[in-house]
Structures are given as structure tokens and as C-alpha cells.
């Protein structure tokens, strides 16, 4: 049976206490869930949440990291610090980083390679804006984000990479790409991966969909052949909305 990877991106939400409370509830309610599950709290809550998820089936992710191992980089958090806390995954190149904080493909690629070098599994986010989609540049944009994000990544390392397709216009807006639309872009991303790494390797890559995923649309999205999981924002902030997404089948 196909297995899915469902991840919750808590973004800039929740104090340490609130994060621990939600993580505790999720660990209890997701015990035995068949899918791979990850939560990504804010940096400030990682250590406390790490203690809660330890020994459970809930993986711990970070939402970003700096592009260097250490040094004079005020305000950055390094891969070594994340590893130290028991973080196993890291979301990189989220559109809120690209569009809100000027992260370009070259910077995202440095982070992807650094994460892999230290055994942290990256979730590389790609996705077009509405303007890019409407002007016919979807494939150029998503193709470049995929190729440039993975520059220098070996075939062996690719096995540790998840791609998240998150159309910018669908994030936090309540607008979801239709399952067919999303699947078509996922198929395109897989084609790009095949051109870089071959068909077999491309087939093995988990491609998550993100953008207004909720329990009402999760099963329909996941039924599509190229949608291998979900990266969930708003609906991951409460157990009552996140648990049914993980338990969509
Ligand atoms: P929403 O689920 O709130 O649309 O956010 C998606 C997202 O950006 C996950 O990384």
C-alpha cells in the first residue's frame, strides 16, 4: 500500500506551552496512524516539543535554517543546532521565505545541500504565484525552483528529499488547486526530476501538496497518482482539524 507523508507547518504560531499542549494531543491521537507524520513548530518551541514527540511516530521538523554551519550570522539558526535538538526534517524555500524575505533559488539550494550534508531531510517548497500561472509561466517557475533547488544534490541524497508543491495563491486563502490541477503540476515536477535523476529515482520522490488542505479535501487530493502527501498550514494548528487529515483513509 502507498504510504503518505503528512506534515504540519505551524508557521509563526503558538507559545512553548501551546506547542507542547498541541504536540501532546497529537502524539496521543496519532498513535498507530498509518502515514508518516511530521510537525514543524516555531524554533522557540522545538526543544520542548522534541521531548513530547520522542519515542512516538510523530517526526520533528523545523521551518527554516541558516545557510551556514555556524559563525557571525545574527538571528540565524544553524543545522547543527537543529540536529542537536533531535530535529529530523527541515522545510526550505517556503514561499513565505521566498516572497517575504527575498530568498532566491541559490540561497535555498545552499540550505538544501547543507541539510543533506548533516543528515537533515529537506522539504523543498516550490510553487507559482497567481500572476506567474496566469501569464503561462507556471512550468518555467516551478521547473527552475526544482532544478536550482536541487543543484549539486546526488541521486543518493535525492532519496532523502521531499518536494512540496504549494501554489502561492492557494496558501491561507481557502482556495485549493483542484486535485487534477495539482496532480498535473506534480506530474510535471516528476518529469523534471526524471530528467535529472532518471525515471526510477523520480518515481520514488515524495511530492506533497500544500495550500488550504483540510479534512474535506485531503482524501480527494491524496487519491491522485502523483500526490504523495500534504504540507498543511492553518489546519495543522488544531488537533481536531489535523488528525482527520492524517487519518484521511
Ligand atoms: P495553508 O494550509 O494555511 O494554506 O498553508 C499551506 C502552507 O503554506 C504550508 O506550508
Amino acid at each position: 500500500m502507498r504510504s503518505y507523508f503528512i506534515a504540519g507547518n505551524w508557521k509563526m504560531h503558538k507559545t512553548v506551552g501551546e506547542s507542547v499542549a498541541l504536540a501532546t494531543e497529537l502524539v496521543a491521537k496519532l498513535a498507530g496512524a498509518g502515514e508518516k507524520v511530521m510537525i514543524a513548530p516555531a524554533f522557540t518551541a522545538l526543544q520542548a516539543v522534541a521531548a513530547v514527540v520522542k519515542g512516538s511516530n510523530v517526526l520533528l521538523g523545523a521551518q527554516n535554517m541558516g545557510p551556514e554551519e555556524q559563525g557571525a550570522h545574527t538571528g540565524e539558526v544553524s543545522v547543527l543546532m537543529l540536529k542537536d535538538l533531535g530535529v529530523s526534517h527541515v522545510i526550505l524555500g517556503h514561499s513565505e521565505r521566498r516572497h517575504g524575505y527575498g530568498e532566491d533559488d541559490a540561497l535555498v539550494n545552499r540550505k538544501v545541500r547543507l541539510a543533506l550534508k548533516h543528515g537533515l531531510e529537506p522539504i523543498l517548497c516550490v510553487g507559482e504565484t497567481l500572476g506567474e500561472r496566469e501569464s503561462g509561466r507556471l512550468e518555467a517557475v516551478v521547473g527552475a525552483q526544482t532544478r536550482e533547488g536541487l543543484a549539486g544534490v546526488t541521486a543518493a541524497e535525492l532519496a532523502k528529499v521531499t518536494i512540496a508543491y504549494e501554489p502561492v495563491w492557494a496558501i491561507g486563502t481557502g482556495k485549493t488547486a483542484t486535485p487534477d490541477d495539482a496532480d498535473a503540476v506534480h506530474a510535471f515536477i516528476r518529469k523534471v526530476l526524471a530528467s535529472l535523476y532518471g525515471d526510477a529515482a523520480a518515481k520514488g520522490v515524495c511530492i506533497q501538496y500544500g495550500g488550504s488542505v483540510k479534512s474535506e479535501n485531503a482524501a480527494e487530493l491524496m487519491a491522485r497518482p502523483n500526490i504523495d502527501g500534504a504540507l498543511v498550514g492553518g489546519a495543522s494548528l488544531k488537533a481536531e482539524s489535523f488528525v482527520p487529515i492524517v487519518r484521511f483513509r
Side-chain angles (χ1 to χ4, degrees):
M1 194 163 64
R2 204 167 154 211
S3 100
Y4 293 84
F5 181 16
I6 317 283
N9 174 7
W10 294 1
K11 306 191 180 182
M12 199 173 71
H13 293 285
K14 297 192 186 290
T15 61
V16 175
E18 290 164 349
S19 301
V20 165
L22 177 56
T24 304
E25 201 180 346
L26 291 176
V27 164
K29 293 187 171 159
L30 293 175
E35 322 304 339
K36 181 171 162 183
V37 191
M38 184 204 89
I39 52 175
F43 287 133
T44 49
L46 282 172
Q47 184 165 21
V49 170
V52 175
V53 301
K54 196 167 187 210
S56 79
N57 58 331
V58 177
L59 299 164
L60 187 62
Q63 300 174 19
N64 184 25
M65 64 174 220
E68 307 286 345
E69 268 155 21
Q70 58 189 345
H73 299 281
T74 302
E76 290 290 342
V77 172
S78 96
V79 63
L80 304 176
M81 298 166 187
L82 297 179
K83 289 277 293 179
D84 187 40
L85 296 182
V87 169
S88 59
H89 290 70
V90 60
I91 298 167
L92 296 174
H94 192 281
S95 63
E96 287 151 17
R97 304 295 321 165
R98 292 178 188 268
H99 297 287
Y101 297 89
E103 293 198 11
D104 62 11
D105 289 321
L107 179 62
V108 174
N109 174 248
R110 279 169 62 202
K111 297 182 180 192
V112 167
R113 283 185 293 141
L114 187 62
L116 289 166
K117 178 180 166 192
H118 289 282
L120 214 56
E121 301 190 20
I123 298 177
L124 169 62
C125 301
V126 300
E128 83 289 358
T129 63
L130 190 58
E132 288 163 346
R133 174 175 276 250
E134 287 177 345
S135 61
R137 288 187 292 138
L138 188 163
E139 293 198 350
V141 170
V142 171
Q145 288 172 339
T146 305
R147 271 189 296 272
E148 291 173 33
L150 294 174
V153 171
T154 66
E157 288 173 329
L158 184 72
K160 301 283 178 203
V161 175
T162 296
I163 308 276
Y165 169 58
E166 299 205 310
V168 178
W169 48 271
I171 295 177
T173 57
K175 287 183 198 155
T176 324
T178 66
D180 284 341
D181 268 358
D183 192 60
V185 182
H186 285 224
F188 167 73
I189 293 168
R190 221 178 280 289
K191 205 169 80 183
V192 173
L193 294 172
S195 74
L196 297 170
Y197 297 97
D199 278 342
K203 273 202 187 96
V205 175
C206 171
I207 307 179
Q208 296 174 323
Y209 170 78
S212 301
V213 174
K214 36 191 187 283
S215 60
E216 293 82 0
N217 57 25
E220 207 191 347
L221 286 160
M222 244 63 88
R224 292 303 189 277
N226 287 291
I227 301 181
D228 307 313
L231 183 54
V232 185
S236 72
L237 294 173
K238 287 189 177 154
E240 67 204 51
S241 44
F242 190 57
V243 170
I245 296 175
V246 176
R247 296 191 179 276
F248 73 95
R249 57 176 168 178

